[in-house]
Amino acid sequence: MKTGKHSHNFWIGNGVLTVAMLTLFFMGPLSDALGIWAAVLWMVLAAVGMALVMSDKREEPPAPD
């Protein structure tokens, strides 16, 4: 049974996802400054954040009853 503690990757992933969310909030000014690269930046941040969060999975979920 899990104790509820998460690895450092989980918390780093949440931080990266927070930056990705802030990127969406400021997408207008960012797209003016970076062009299409603002969307590419957001996609990379979201992918890296999700990969870090999902890497915290250590074991298979329990079988249903």
Side-chain angles (χ1 to χ4, degrees):
M1 181 184 296
K2 283 189 152 187
T3 61
K5 294 185 179 183
H6 296 287
S7 69
H8 291 289
N9 283 347
F10 178 81
W11 295 112
I12 293 170
N14 278 324
V16 172
L17 287 173
T18 302
V19 173
M21 182 185 65
L22 289 173
T23 303
L24 282 178
F25 284 139
F26 298 106
M27 186 57 76
L30 279 174
S31 67
D32 290 340
L34 301 174
I36 191 67
W37 292 108
V40 172
L41 174 66
W42 172 74
M43 286 186 274
V44 168
L45 285 171
V48 169
M50 284 305 299
L52 287 169
V53 168
M54 295 304 290
S55 71
D56 190 42
K57 304 275 184 195
R58 295 188 191 110
E59 58 188 41
E60 291 293 320
D65 291 335

